[in-house]
Amino acid sequence: MHHSTVNGSSRLTFWSHVREFAVPASMIESATARRLAGDWSGACATARVDVDFTLRVLSRTRGKQFADLVRADLRHLAPDLLRWHFPRIRPDGVLRPGLTVSLARYRPPDGGDEVHLVARTPPAWADAGQRISLALWERSGALSRAGGHPHPRPDRRFRLDLHRHLWDARRTSELRERCGATQWPDDPGRSDARATHRWAAEAALLLRAEGRAGSAVVVRLGSRQRVVLDLDAPGITATPSRGCALPVLPDAATWVPPDLELWHAGAIDADRLHPLVRPALIPGYRPASAPRSPDSTGSSRLVDCRGALHRIGVVNGALVALDHEPDEIRREELLAALGGRSLPCLHAIDTTHRHPEDLVDIRARLDHGDVAGALAVVEGLLGPDALLLSGALRDELETAARRKVLHGLYRAELHDVRPLPSTKDYPRPGNRSRPRHAAFRRP
């Protein structure tokens, strides 16, 4: 999905970051294995997707025929692919918060209101873990409660019911045609990400799906830029007035998919593409075999220690200086505690505990909900038995834990709990433009 503030090389940088951290390869592998085994609920759990309804209750309340329609879609839902294509926002590329996206629409046999299978994201204050929830929505609200969700109604702009190839494993082969891969020019310098070559075809699909007799749709190009596309007239005809009732061309149809741009610009390797996206964009490509993990459990790092190169590395579960005797280490630690200058090896160990070089990657994994991946990086640096010292690394991990509690409160529908900004809520220069820390209070 495109965000209007991402343009040119900035857009490529943004999506390259998202593709690196947002959907880990381990998640894709696990979710795919469970989906292929017929365990759709296990696939959802692996991809951090919560299901807010049960098919048993749905069958009892709406009939087995209707429940079977929903079950068929759930069995072919690729939750990791849904996460791959879900709308995201700057600057961190996290899921767009407080959003309800329609995935499929059903007409009940009893002729009642149309029912939507929707995917929702929590509000920004409760987005720890970057979880997505699946629910059923109808206008009357009889099927399921939306809890404290700020926008429970399906969004007109962000909808995937007309783009099943972005989440339904049965339809992924349609991506090549729907994204216009054969029509989009092979131009790494191209900066216009608008999929204008597909607008007419996508607008026709939208009008048919909505049962509209007219020929015009609204195309949203930015927060304050909208135009009208009329299929019966050449090109763009007008700027819509406020409150225009015309259908809105989905965001997925308005912009070129980022994977197509990244691939043409050489900003992503084919092996890094989602395995359900890769064959559609690059037919006939055979992925390279996965590299084997080294047999060693860790590696040492070199430190310039008083004119000599010394090693620090993980031993018995903790990061230690390898080229100093225990008695020397104890003397140097005592000297440092009394205010003396620390041994360079000990200083390097202390810095790695408080502010490691990999902190940016750790922070990115935490932002995208990959706690397991972040902890794996920390354990690789410090060892599984390390005690974290006060500093930026411990702050990040503690913040992630506190924010996970907030998400739990949101899921428990404790609506009287609201985020309370703290002194740590200010954005980091050049990294975040919105608070990512939160405490809570009862008003």
Side-chain angles (χ1 to χ4, degrees), residues 94-359:
V94 295
L95 299 174
R96 179 174 286 272
L99 185 63
T100 296
V101 174
S102 178
L103 303 182
R105 298 186 295 178
Y106 312 98
R107 181 67 65 182
D110 58 9
D113 289 340
E114 188 176 60
V115 177
H116 293 244
L117 174 65
V118 298
R120 290 192 175 116
T121 52
W125 65 268
D127 69 352
Q130 288 289 278
R131 302 190 71 87
I132 299 172
S133 62
L134 296 179
L136 294 172
W137 179 89
E138 63 177 342
R139 192 178 302 276
S140 66
L143 268 177
S144 64
R145 295 179 300 172
H149 199 276
H151 305 289
R153 182 186 182 91
D155 194 282
R156 289 205 306 160
R157 172 189 170 197
F158 297 107
R159 54 186 293 184
L160 297 179
D161 57 301
L162 302 180
H163 294 79
R164 277 178 169 258
H165 56 283
L166 301 182
W167 62 267
D168 189 331
R170 296 167 294 187
R171 307 278 292 273
T172 54
S173 61
E174 299 175 11
L175 174 62
R176 183 168 180 80
E177 177 184 356
R178 294 290 297 275
C179 75
T182 58
Q183 305 170 33
W184 202 65
D186 186 1
D187 180 8
R190 180 187 174 101
S191 60
D192 182 9
R194 301 172 187 177
T196 52
H197 52 283
R198 284 291 304 172
W199 283 4
E202 295 292 339
L205 291 173
L206 173 62
L207 291 169
R208 284 198 300 270
E210 295 294 312
R212 298 294 187 104
S215 59
V217 301
V218 172
V219 182
R220 187 186 188 278
L221 301 178
S223 59
R224 297 183 180 181
Q225 186 180 8
R226 293 169 176 79
V227 295
V228 172
L229 174 67
D230 192 335
L231 300 183
D232 291 341
I236 296 170
T237 59
T239 299
S241 59
R242 183 170 296 182
C244 177
L246 293 175
V248 178
L249 192 68
D251 208 63
T254 303
W255 307 98
V256 172
D259 295 321
L260 183 59
E261 285 190 278
L262 291 170
W263 168 246
H264 277 281
I268 190 172
D269 294 331
D271 290 335
R272 285 178 54 199
L273 291 172
H274 192 286
L276 291 176
V277 171
R278 185 170 51 236
L281 295 186
I282 316 172
Y285 178 84
R286 293 186 178 181
S289 57
R292 296 187 59 184
S293 300
D295 295 331
S296 61
T297 57
S299 59
S300 60
R301 281 159 279 170
L302 297 178
V303 177
D304 185 356
C305 184
R306 296 175 179 173
L309 287 179
H310 288 173
R311 300 165 300 151
I312 60 174
V314 176
V315 176
N316 296 327
L319 183 64
V320 296
L322 300 176
D323 296 317
H324 295 274
E325 295 296 329
D327 290 343
E328 182 184 6
I329 293 294
R330 284 193 291 271
R331 288 196 303 270
E332 291 291 337
E333 288 176 339
L334 178 59
L335 179 62
L338 295 174
R341 185 177 181 84
S342 176
L343 191 71
C345 284
L346 297 183
H347 178 73
I349 292 173
D350 183 81
T351 300
T352 303
H353 275 78
R354 299 180 191 275
H355 202 292
E357 293 181 357
D358 290 348
L359 182 60

Side-chain angles (χ1 to χ4, degrees), residues 70-93:
V70 179
R71 180 183 289 107
D73 280 340
L74 291 175
R75 284 177 173 171
H76 294 93
L77 166 70
D80 49 310
L81 184 64
L82 172 64
R83 179 177 293 277
W84 184 274
H85 289 299
F86 210 86
R88 297 182 177 273
I89 61 171
R90 283 183 67 116
D92 304 314

Side-chain angles (χ1 to χ4, degrees), residues 396-415:
E396 289 291 340
L397 295 174
E398 289 179 347
T399 296
R402 288 196 301 270
R403 295 187 64 250
K404 188 175 180 179
V405 173
L406 278 179
H407 178 78
L409 294 173
Y410 166 76
R411 291 288 296 172
E413 299 185 11
L414 296 178
H415 307 309

